Amino acid sequence: MKDKKEKILKLSIIILIIAIVLIIILILSINNSSKPEVNSNNMNIGENNIITEDAYVNRIMNETVENNEENSDNEEEQKISNLVIDESDDLYFLVKQFITSYYNIRSIDNALNIIDTEAKETLGINNENVMSLYNGMNNPEFCIDEIYSQQIDETKNLYLVYFRLIRNTVENSNIENQVLLIKTDIDNMTFSVYPYEYLANKNYSNLKEGDTVAINNVSPIENNSNNKFIFDNIDDEKTIIEFFKRYKFDLRYDMQHLYNCINEEYRNINFSTIDNFIQFANEKNLLEEEITQYQIQDNEDYIQYTAITNTSKSYIFNATTLLNYTILFDTYSTVLPEYLRIYNSSMPNVQAKYCIDRFFKGINDKNYEFSYSKINSVQKNNYYPNLQDFENFVKENFYDTNLYDFDDYIVISSNVYQYTVTITNANNNNESKLITATVTLLNDADFKIAFAIN
């Protein structure tokens, strides 16, 4: 009996050990199968598309690589991808930081610390000749136009940047097209620059999306105190100020580029030629404008940034990114989405008041082309056969700035309303006159107006 009990006890212990081993194997199997897969396309973006430093680093380190290539010495694996256009705002501000550092050098050592080792070797750059890269520079200004990115490996990237440069010297104040290549090292938070001269030497100064930049130097970029970069927090205020800086750059140096940035519908209504726009800019002293307030509205396909200046003038930037936007210089000459929503929800007599308001805003803003475009064709043909005739009439019969109050109205038909409007001189409240304004409501918030001074 004792032997039988011992046999049962031994058998129980063996079964218990086997059960414990099986449980351990099962637990390990479950743990391994439950590990999440890394999705290289995911990126953590905060509210209002503000990207955090960690999110940006993750984005750089998790980007997929299209092609892999081992270097000839087998010392390090180099991963090569093609150039792709990158218009993200976080990268825009980072690249602007790199270019600013490159041009704002303070010494020979400063310059040598920023220029990439490979570029220095290729161009023979040293202490004696490095400053020749900066000849003719005096606090240069620049405006970024295009950014292309290319991944080198998990921690290093190339950025090919096209921009317009003003050297700001007496001898040379003309705008010139420039291109730089910038390399970043996320591990060390450092960067280096390949100057334009290097790109020209390698025939890299006209590359576009799909092309590839071949470099030999894929070593880490060591920190030398001049080549560190930081991540700025991107908020709405910083973004709209940058839009305004880009606008001011064009206003000073590149009116043709600014003219091309104007919303096409708005441009066709207000500035049929670039000469019309240049005249408008000169008359309005636009360079003196500074932002005092701003508003932001997120629409379905774009974000509308409205900058309100010290003269109460509105600038509207309809943008998807800082490199992709159009500009409008007022809120009345084209029908903006928010205006259309309010307009469509209003009674017809109120819609007529909105239309008269837009007409007089054009007159107050000296935007004669817009107001002229809204005049009834019969009155236009009889009294103002061309724009200059209308402009002369306004200058002789209206005030420099007109205040207007709506009095009685009558309904002429379902889409025609006639208002009596009191016009007062904003600079002299004792001067006023009555005007009869007849508005014909058209589709899509458009209208025609006929007016008579009583």
Side-chain angles (χ1 to χ4, degrees):
M1 177 68 73
K2 183 178 179 181
D3 290 341
K4 185 176 181 181
K5 288 183 178 180
E6 288 179 353
K7 288 180 181 180
I8 293 173
L9 179 61
K10 289 179 180 178
L11 182 61
S12 299
I13 293 172
I14 292 172
I15 293 173
L16 179 62
I17 292 172
I18 292 173
I20 291 173
V21 171
L22 290 175
I23 291 172
I24 291 172
I25 292 173
L26 180 61
I27 292 173
L28 290 175
S29 175
I30 292 173
N31 285 342
N32 287 334
S33 64
S34 64
K35 288 183 179 179
E37 295 183 1
V38 176
N39 185 347
S40 62
N41 294 321
N42 285 345
M43 184 170 62
N44 296 322
I45 300 180
E47 188 178 0
N48 296 325
N49 269 356
I50 298 174
I51 188 166
T52 64
E53 177 175 332
D54 287 342
Y56 183 82
V57 172
N58 288 337
R59 170 190 168 191
I60 297 299
M61 297 186 70
N62 291 332
E63 283 181 340
T64 57
V65 180
E66 295 181 1
N67 302 300
N68 295 335
E69 176 181 290
E70 291 187 3
N71 66 8
S72 57
D73 297 328
N74 293 321
E75 293 177 353
E76 181 177 354
E77 184 180 10
Q78 181 183 4
K79 299 178 180 180
I80 301 296
S81 63
N82 297 330
L83 289 169
V84 294
I85 194 162
D86 193 332
E87 294 185 342
S88 58
D89 288 351
D90 57 291
L91 180 59
Y92 172 94
F93 281 107
L94 196 59
V95 166
K96 184 177 180 182
Q97 183 183 152
F98 298 146
I99 300 176
T100 301
S101 297
Y102 174 69
Y103 282 121
N104 289 352
I105 54 102
R106 294 292 179 264
S107 66
I108 290 176
D109 287 342
N110 187 185
L112 290 173
N113 285 341
I114 290 176
I115 299 172
D116 191 86
T117 301
E118 183 177 358
K120 287 185 283 192
E121 292 174 353
T122 300
L123 299 175
I125 296 173
N126 53 42
N127 288 2
E128 285 72 34
N129 61 21
V130 65
M131 299 309 294
S132 64
L133 298 176
Y134 298 91
N135 282 344
M137 296 286 186
N138 181 22
N139 296 319
E141 300 176 65
F142 64 90
C143 187
I144 298 171
D145 292 318
E146 294 178 303
I147 303 174
Y148 296 86
S149 64
Q150 176 182 312
Q151 188 178 37
I152 300 173
D153 57 34
E154 289 86 350
T155 62
K156 289 184 283 297
N157 284 270
L158 293 174
Y159 300 106
L160 188 71
V161 189
Y162 293 93
F163 57 98
R164 286 163 292 144
L165 177 70
I166 302 294
R167 293 179 180 269
N168 282 333
T169 63
V170 175
E171 297 81 11
N172 185 355
S173 59
N174 294 326
I175 195 166
E176 59 184 78
N177 294 319
Q178 273 285 352
V179 57
L180 290 177
L181 182 66
I182 299 158
K183 183 169 66 181
T184 60
D185 182 340
I186 293 299
D187 273 352
N188 294 320
M189 298 292 284
T190 51
F191 73 98
S192 61
V193 174
Y194 293 77
Y196 169 79
E197 290 77 4
Y198 173 88
L199 298 177
N201 178 277
K202 296 291 186 179
N203 293 320
Y204 286 161
S205 56
N206 291 297
L207 297 181
K208 293 295 182 182
E209 189 165 28
D211 294 333
T212 301
V213 179
I215 62 169
N216 297 318
N217 180 22
V218 295
S219 302
I221 305 173
E222 299 300 330
N223 174 21
N224 57 39
S225 75
N226 297 126
N227 65 348
K228 290 287 289 182
F229 66 86
I230 61 174
F231 293 97
D232 290 334
N233 182 40
I234 303 170
D235 56 20
D236 292 334
E237 182 175 345
K238 185 178 180 67
T239 301
I240 200 165
I241 288 174
E242 187 63 24
F243 276 122
F244 208 67
K245 286 180 179 178
R246 293 179 60 85
Y247 154 71
K248 283 289 191 73
F249 180 94
D250 282 349
L251 190 61
R252 287 189 180 96
Y253 306 118
D254 200 345
M255 290 292 280
Q256 182 64 60
H257 187 272
L258 179 55
Y259 185 70
N260 294 340
C261 288
I262 300 174
N263 174 279
E264 184 177 5
E265 179 185 357
Y266 181 92
R267 187 174 62 216
N268 291 338
I269 291 173
N270 296 284
F271 314 116
S272 54
T273 68
I274 188 172
D275 291 334
N276 295 143
F277 175 63
I278 292 174
Q279 180 182 355
F280 165 80
N282 291 336
E283 289 179 350
K284 302 299 290 184
N285 296 318
L286 298 184
L287 280 172
E288 305 302 319
E289 301 278 343
E290 297 296 340
I291 299 178
T292 56
Q293 304 174 60
Y294 66 88
Q295 300 169 350
I296 296 176
Q297 180 177 324
D298 195 347
N299 295 311
E300 184 176 349
D301 300 322
Y302 62 92
I303 299 177
Q304 181 177 296
Y305 299 86
T306 302
I308 303 169
T309 69
N310 49 314
T311 62
S312 299
K313 185 171 179 58
S314 296
Y315 293 81
I316 297 93
F317 300 89
N318 290 334
T320 54
T321 68
L322 278 161
L323 293 174
N324 188 359
Y325 61 93
T326 60
I327 303 175
L328 300 89
F329 294 90
D330 63 68
T331 57
Y332 61 84
S333 59
T334 55
V335 179
L336 300 174
E338 182 63 14
Y339 173 88
L340 186 61
R341 184 188 67 79
I342 297 173
Y343 180 91
N344 287 337
S345 63
S346 302
M347 298 293 290
N349 63 304
V350 178
Q351 292 176 344
K353 290 176 68 173
Y354 287 154
C355 295
I356 296 171
D357 175 70
R358 291 174 64 193
F359 177 78
F360 278 109
K361 280 182 176 176
I363 289 177
N364 281 341
D365 207 24
K366 309 296 187 293
N367 190 350
Y368 303 117
E369 193 162 354
F370 166 75
S371 296
Y372 182 69
S373 71
K374 298 304 178 184
I375 297 176
N376 176 287
S377 59
V378 174
Q379 184 174 21
K380 186 183 292 185
N381 293 333
N382 290 337
Y383 299 100
Y384 326 111
N386 57 61
L387 176 61
Q388 190 60 54
D389 291 332
F390 174 68
E391 183 176 338
N392 293 338
F393 176 85
V394 170
K395 290 178 178 179
E396 293 172 3
N397 293 275
F398 287 84
Y399 308 114
D400 186 58
T401 303
N402 302 272
L403 303 177
Y404 40 97
D405 293 316
F406 295 89
D407 299 325
D408 297 333
Y409 75 92
I410 60 174
V411 180
I412 296 177
S413 68
S414 61
N415 67 326
V416 180
Y417 292 77
Q418 186 177 90
Y419 272 90
T420 301
V421 183
T422 301
I423 304 296
T424 304
N425 185 351
N427 299 316
N428 184 353
N429 292 334
N430 295 323
E431 295 181 6
S432 64
K433 57 185 68 177
L434 290 178
I435 290 181
T436 300
T438 304
V439 178
T440 301
L441 303 177
L442 304 176
N443 294 330
D444 301 321
D446 198 7
F447 67 96
K448 290 296 179 182
I449 190 170
F451 66 93
I453 298 177
N454 298 339

